[in-house]
């Protein structure tokens, strides 16, 4: 069935108030840092997610969890520094606070599969990755000689060469597999930041930085050729990569190699806290 809309953001706020009074009648039992998280999610309206994702569910079968509650719960796991979905699903079952702030009744919380199902519905493609699984071996970054310095780039195209190419390249968001995620982010976070004055769209001064997002300790790949059977152990043939979108890089701040994604973040440098 289609997900049941839990109502407005005010309904979520009433749910939180009612259950906090029931399970945590003494406010001082919760740390100040926890109240900071409660306040942030109290003001975070995710009701757009329910209407936006309604057509991503079948009209038949059992009623699924409310999409906004799953989204909110996942964001909460980040704030509470629980990086494993499996661990977070377990915490929801034993910690009433996590369940309440997510919008779930304590004792009636989703399992691991529900979170992965929600994530899969945000990805608008039959392929799980942007890149094909089979491709040439990647060039490994060389460790820099000086500690704390960045490794030399292995890219064949510089940023100066890339920008003119991108300027003349057509881009349609709806054709991208991540378009649903971007639209939710724009509606619930970016537009809200502009409307509240956190971002001045008419006078942007962007600052950016990158950081590695580690997915595994080493690159996961396997041979698809017969070179090894023929005595050739150092062939350059294409390999099958389990995570084809990931790269091998050097983390200069931690002084180690990593395998994962490169996350680039942009902030409005005019904003002052």
């Amino acid at each position: 069935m289609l997900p049941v809309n839990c109502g407005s953001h005010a309904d979520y706020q009433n749910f939180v108030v009612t259950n906090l009074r029931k399970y945590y009648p003494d406010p001082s039992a919760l740390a100040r840092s926890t109240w900071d998280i409660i306040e942030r999610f109290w003001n975070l309206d995710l009701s757009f997610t329910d209407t936006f994702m309604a057509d991503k569910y079948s009209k038949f079968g059992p009623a699924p969890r409310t999409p906004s509650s799953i989204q909110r719960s996942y964001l909460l796991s980040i704030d509470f520094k629980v990086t494993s979905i499996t661990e977070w699903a377990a915490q929801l079952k034993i910690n009433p606070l996590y369940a309440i702030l997510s919008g779930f009744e304590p004792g009636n919380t989703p399992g691991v599969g529900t979170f992965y199902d929600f994530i899969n519905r945000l990805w608008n493609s039959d392929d799980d990755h942007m890149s094909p699984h089979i491709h040439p071996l990647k060039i490994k970054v060389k460790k820099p000689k000086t500690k704390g310095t960045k490794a030399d780039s292995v890219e064949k195209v510089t940023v100066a060469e890339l920008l003119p190419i991108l300027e003349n390249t057509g881009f349609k968001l709806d054709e991208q597999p991540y378009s649903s995620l971007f639209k939710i982010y724009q509606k619930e976070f970016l537009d809200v930041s502009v409307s509240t004055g956190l971002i001045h769209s008419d006078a942007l001064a962007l600052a950016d930085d990158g950081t590695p997002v580690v997915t595994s300790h080493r690159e996961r790949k396997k041979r698809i050729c017969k070179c090894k059977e023929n005595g050739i152990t150092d062939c350059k043939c294409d390999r099958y990569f389990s995570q084809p979108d990931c790269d091998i890089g050097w983390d200069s701040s931690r002084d180690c190699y990593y395998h994962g994604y490169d996350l680039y973040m942009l902030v409005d440098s005019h904003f002052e806290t």
Side-chain angles (χ1 to χ4, degrees):
M1 295 175 60
L2 293 176
V4 178
N5 195 313
C6 64
S8 66
H9 183 61
D11 292 329
Y12 164 74
Q13 292 176 324
N14 292 334
F15 172 85
V16 171
V17 169
T18 300
N19 283 277
L20 284 181
R21 287 174 176 170
K22 177 181 178 181
Y23 287 89
Y24 301 94
D26 180 10
S28 62
L30 300 175
R32 177 67 256 181
S33 58
T34 300
W35 279 110
D36 290 340
I37 295 175
I38 293 174
E39 182 180 0
R40 285 202 299 276
F41 281 85
W42 171 270
N43 294 311
L44 180 60
D45 187 351
L46 301 178
S47 53
F48 170 75
T49 299
D50 294 331
T51 55
F52 177 76
M53 296 191 67
D55 62 353
K56 295 180 179 293
Y57 291 82
S58 172
K59 296 181 180 179
F60 307 99
R65 298 281 183 173
T66 306
S68 61
S69 297
I70 297 294
Q71 178 191 8
R72 184 183 299 108
S73 189
Y74 183 76
L75 295 174
L76 273 167
S77 72
I78 298 174
D79 257 353
F80 283 109
K81 300 184 180 356
V82 181
T83 57
S84 164
I85 291 180
T86 301
E87 175 62 23
W88 179 248
Q91 288 293 329
L92 285 173
K93 295 183 183 299
I94 63 178
N95 192 327
L97 178 65
Y98 293 168
I100 293 168
L101 296 184
S102 297
F104 305 127
E105 292 284 351
N108 183 18
T109 57
V112 177
T114 305
F115 284 96
Y116 282 111
D117 179 66
F118 172 78
I119 294 172
N120 289 337
R121 292 178 193 275
L122 289 173
W123 188 253
N124 303 330
S125 175
D126 293 333
D127 297 322
D128 293 337
H129 305 276
M130 299 282 289
S131 306
H133 282 282
I134 299 176
H135 59 73
L137 291 169
K138 297 181 179 180
I139 301 175
K140 188 175 181 180
V141 177
K142 292 184 179 180
K143 180 179 178 180
K145 295 180 180 180
T146 306
K147 185 176 181 179
T149 59
K150 294 185 177 180
D152 293 334
S153 175
V154 297
E155 303 296 337
K156 297 180 180 180
V157 179
T158 65
V159 175
E161 295 170 331
L162 179 63
L163 288 177
I165 297 175
L166 294 177
E167 289 175 350
N168 298 316
T169 301
F171 177 84
K172 295 182 179 179
L173 178 62
D174 289 337
E175 296 178 354
Q176 307 305 317
Y178 51 80
S179 61
S180 292
L181 183 61
F182 184 85
K183 290 176 181 177
I184 289 175
Y185 166 76
Q186 180 179 6
K187 180 71 174 180
E188 296 176 342
F189 297 93
L190 191 58
D191 289 351
V192 173
S193 296
V194 172
S195 65
T196 55
L198 294 176
I199 296 178
H200 306 283
S201 57
D202 57 343
L204 282 176
L206 296 178
D208 67 288
D209 196 9
T211 187
V213 179
V214 180
T215 61
S216 61
H217 291 292
R218 62 179 182 176
E219 191 177 41
R220 296 169 180 170
K221 63 182 184 293
K222 63 180 180 180
R223 294 175 181 266
I224 55 174
C225 62
K226 299 295 183 180
C227 292
K228 188 174 182 179
E229 288 84 341
N230 295 326
I232 305 173
T233 58
D234 59 346
C235 73
K236 305 299 181 184
C237 297
D238 291 355
R239 302 288 200 272
Y240 179 93
F241 292 83
S242 299
Q243 297 177 310
D245 296 329
C246 293
D247 282 318
I248 298 175
W250 175 261
D251 188 344
S252 57
S253 62
R254 297 176 177 84
D255 200 37
C256 65
Y257 285 104
Y258 73 91
H259 179 249
Y261 301 97
D262 296 318
L263 172 63
Y264 292 94
M265 298 169 286
L266 297 173
V267 297
D268 181 4
S269 58
H270 281 164
F271 174 67
E272 296 181 1
T273 55

